[in-house]
Amino acid sequence: MKIHEYQAKQIFARYGVPVPKGELALTVAEVGPIAERLIAETKIPVTVVKAQIHAGGRGKGGGVKVAKGGAAGATALAQEILGMQLVTKQTGPAGQKVRRLYIEQGLDIARELYLALLVDRDARRIAIIASTEGGMDIEEVAHSAPEKIITIHIDPVLGLAGYQARKLAYALGVGGKETMKAFTKAVDALYRCFLAEDCSMLEINPLVVTKTNEIVALDAKVTFDDNAEFRHPEWEALRDIEEEDPVELEAKRAGLSYVSLDGDIGCLVNGAGLAMGTMDIIQHYGGSPANFLDVGGGATQEQVTKAFRMILSSPKVKGIFVNIFGGIMRCDIVAAGVVAATKELGLKVPLVVRLEGTNVEQGKKILNESGLAIQAAGSMGEGAQMIVAAVRGKAA
Amino acid sequence: MSILVNKDTRVVFQGITGESGALHARACIAYGTNVVAGVTPGRGGQMFDSTVPIYDTVEDAVKKAGADTSCIFVPPPGAADAIVEAVDAGCKLVICITEGIPVLDMVKVRRYLEGKSARLVGPNCPGVITPGECKIGIMPGAIHLKGHIGVLSKSGTLTYEAVGQLTAMGIGQSSCVGIGGDPVAGLDFIDVLELFNNDPDTHGVIMIGEIGGGAEQKAAAWIKANMKKPVAALIAGRAAPEGKRMGHAGAIISGGKGTAAEKIEALEAAGIKVAPTPAAMAETLKSLMG
C-alpha cells in the first residue's frame, strides 16, 4: 500500500526524522494563507507547491514548483497544479489527477543525497541504499555509476550498528561533527520507522544537507507491506482510494487479487502463477489480456460470481477465458459462480472455459446443463487459442 | 528415493483444528501420509477425527508422537512464531502453507534459521509431495504419478499444470516442491536443485519461476556449473506490467528488474530450455530426455 508524501513526512516526524514545515491544501483558496504562515514562521520567502499523487517522477512532470512571489506566487502555482492531469513515467500516458497539494517551506540546499530502505530479497535482510547523487533517478545512477551507490545490510537481531551509520555518513561526505550526528540520528530513526510501521520500501530522494548543515528529508516515499495490514488498523485512514483503480479496489474488498491490463480478453483463473501463465499464453497466441485475476484457492461461489460479474461488466472485454486447475478450488464451485453471474448479466461475448482438477466432472455438468453458449477447452493451450480466435473473428 | 519427504516421514500439522488445516490434514491422511500429530494450543489431549492426537506444543508432538516434519496452517499473525516453534522442537523439515506473512517476520525467521540444520519450505506454497508415498500440503494428490521427474516451483497452480501435463504423457514425478512466491522464504531454487541433482531417482527437472527478484538468474548460473540432469524451465509473467504485484507478494517487476525477459535470457544463456508457454512444460522437458 502506498501513501502520500505528506503522510510519510508526518510519520517521519513522529520518529524524529527532520522534515520541512508544510501543510496540506485541498483547495486553491487554502494555499495563500498556508504560504503566509510558512513564510512568517520560517523567515524564508520561498515556498514549494507539491502535487500529491502516489506515482513518482512528479517534479519532471511539472507537479512540483518553487514559488518565489510569496503567498500570491504559491496561489498562482496551486491554480496551475491542482486538478491537472499529472503525467509522470510511473502514471502511464493517461496521468493521474492532482487532488491534493502539499505546501512546504523553501530550504537553502547545500547538497542532495539519496537514501532508501527496503527488503533485499536476495540478502533476506533490510538494506539501506545511499548515494551522493540525490535528486537523480537512482536506477540511472545504478546503471551509469554503480560505484556511487553504497549498500549496507542490517542484521535483524543486532539492528542498525553504529559503525554502519557512520560508514554511510563517511561515504556520503557528511562526516563532519555536526552533520555526522544529525545524519546517524536520522538513519537510526528511519530504521526504527521501517520496522515499526511495517514498510516494504522507504525512499528519500533527495535527503538534503542545508547550508546550515542540517539534514532534512525533502521528499518521502513510503510503501507498506500489505501482508502486515492486520496489525495496522491505522492504515485505513491513510488510504487514498482516489489513487487506486476502482475495479482493483472492489476486487480487493471481495478478497480477490485483480490487476487491470490494457487488453480485451478477460481472464478468471485460480492461483497467481496460473493467472500470470494465462495472460502469457493469450499473448503468445496473439491476443491481449484485459486483466490478471486470481480467485484464490478457497473462494466461495459468491466470490467467483462477484469476480465473473466484474469481468462481464467491463466494457473493454471482448471475450472471456476461464482457466481453472482445481486443487483446493473445486471446479463445481467455479462453474456455479460463472453460471450465476452470466444468468444475471447475460453473455454478450465469447466464453471459453477450461476446467481441470478437483470435481471437474461436476463442474462440466453444471456448465453443460446451464444452456449457456460456453466453449469447452480440453487444455490451457487449446483454450487460449480458442478465445483468441473467437475475439479476433468478432473484431474482423 | 525422492527428496525431502517419503513414506517414513512423520508429520505434525500445526493448526490442525482450523478450517483449512483440518481439510488438508484429512486429504493428506487419505493420500497415505503418516500424520502422527496435530498441534493447537489449548486443545492438547483431544483427538482429531478420533485418530490423530492433538498436543498443545510442537515439542510434545515431537517427543510423544515422534513427529519429524511439520506442516503449518497457522494464520499469518502467528505463522512466523509457528515456524520457529517447529524448528526449536526439533523438526528437521518445516513446510509452511500460510499465505500473507509480513515480510519483516520472515526476515527474522530466516535469520533465526541460520546455522540450524532444519529446512523450511515456503511460506505461501502448496507444499511437498513424493507421489505414492507422502503428500504434505494442499496439492491435489490424484494428478500425480510416481516416477523420475522433479518439479520445483514458486507457483502452486502452475505446479499442478506441469504435473498434470507430465502425468497425461505417462511421465511420473519423483518429488514436487513448491517453494512459494514470497520475497523472503525458506529453500530457494538452488537448494532444491541440489537435492534433485543428488537424488538417483530424479532423472530430469521442471523448474517454474516467475517475475520479481533474481532467484531464477542465480539458479541459471548454478545449473550451468553443477547440474547433471536436464532442466526445462518456465517463467510466468511475460505479459505482466511493471510495478504491479501479480498476486504473489514477490511477483512484481520493480525498477525494470526481475522481468520475465531478463530471466528467460539468463536461463537460455545457461543452456536451459525454456517452455514457450505454460501449456508446453512437459513437452519441453520430454524433448530433453533421451
Side-chain angles (χ1 to χ4, degrees), chain B residues 4-5 9-13 67-71 91-95 136:
Chain B
L4 296 170
V5 304
T9 304
R10 297 173 67 83
V11 186
V12 50
F13 269 70
D68 57 24
T69 295
S70 169
C71 184
C91 290
K92 62 180 184 355
L93 177 65
V94 180
I95 299 169
I136 304 177

Side-chain angles (χ1 to χ4, degrees), chain A residues 350 386-396:
Chain A
M386 282 164 70
I387 192 64
V388 172
V391 169
R392 272 199 191 147
K394 215 178 162 79

